[in-house]
Amino acid sequence: MKVKMSEDRIQIKGMKFFGRHGVTEDEQSLGQRIEVDVEVEVDLEPSGRSDDPKLTVDYALVYELTKQVVEGESVRLLETLGQRIADILIDKLGVDSVWVKVAKPNPPIHGSIIGYVAIEVQRDK
């Protein structure tokens, strides 16, 4: 019997936090805005048919877990921050797959104006 892999997703985009992440001393001491988008792969059919919130992912919990990581311990790399967010979401939500985008809207890069720098990670259980 073949198990159906879900193609359903919950997206939470544009979460904004304040974190002290980066390679430079100023980034670590002063901090900056960090923006995060999350996509969680989950079968939405049971909740869609029943209208039961217990059968889906709690959006507020996704936000709180992401906030906990971003506003928590400082790291140097966005890659590390993305990995930690993916790890906690998979662990605490019990989902099989997450996609995380972490962006710095105002990176400390001298030269031409940059809209933002970002990383994206896709992690499976």
Side-chain angles (χ1 to χ4, degrees), residues 27 31-35 103-109 113-117:
E27 289 177 298
Q32 63 194 295
R33 188 175 73 196
I34 304 289
E35 297 180 0
K104 284 184 185 179
N106 300 303
I109 299 173
I113 296 173
I114 296 175
Y116 65 87
V117 295

Side-chain angles (χ1 to χ4, degrees), residues 60-70 88-89 92-93:
L61 181 57
V62 172
Y63 176 87
E64 288 303 321
L65 291 170
T66 303
K67 179 180 179 181
Q68 178 183 328
V69 173
V70 176
I88 198 169
L89 293 177
K92 300 292 185 186
L93 300 176

Side-chain angles (χ1 to χ4, degrees), residues 16-117:
K16 293 174 177 54
F17 306 102
F18 186 83
R20 299 178 188 281
H21 309 289
V23 176
T24 71
E25 281 186 38
D26 283 347
E27 289 177 298
Q28 291 278 325
S29 63
L30 300 175
Q32 63 194 295
R33 188 175 73 196
I34 304 289
E35 297 180 0
V36 181
D37 296 336
V38 170
E39 193 170 288
V40 179
E41 186 175 304
V42 60
D43 184 0
L44 298 176
E45 186 173 4
S47 59
R49 292 196 182 281
S50 69
D51 200 33
D52 184 348
K54 294 176 190 159
L55 298 178
T56 191
V57 170
D58 181 342
Y59 308 161
L61 181 57
V62 172
Y63 176 87
E64 288 303 321
L65 291 170
T66 303
K67 179 180 179 181
Q68 178 183 328
V69 173
V70 176
E71 294 184 354
E73 179 186 355
S74 293
V75 297
R76 291 177 295 171
L77 300 176
L78 291 180
E79 292 85 337
T80 304
L81 202 55
Q83 182 66 52
R84 288 183 179 182
I85 294 167
D87 287 345
I88 198 169
L89 293 177
I90 287 174
D91 181 53
K92 300 292 185 186
L93 300 176
V95 297
D96 292 329
S97 181
V98 298
W99 169 86
V100 178
K101 176 181 176 182
V102 181
K104 284 184 185 179
N106 300 303
I109 299 173
H110 302 288
S112 60
I113 296 173
I114 296 175
Y116 65 87
V117 295

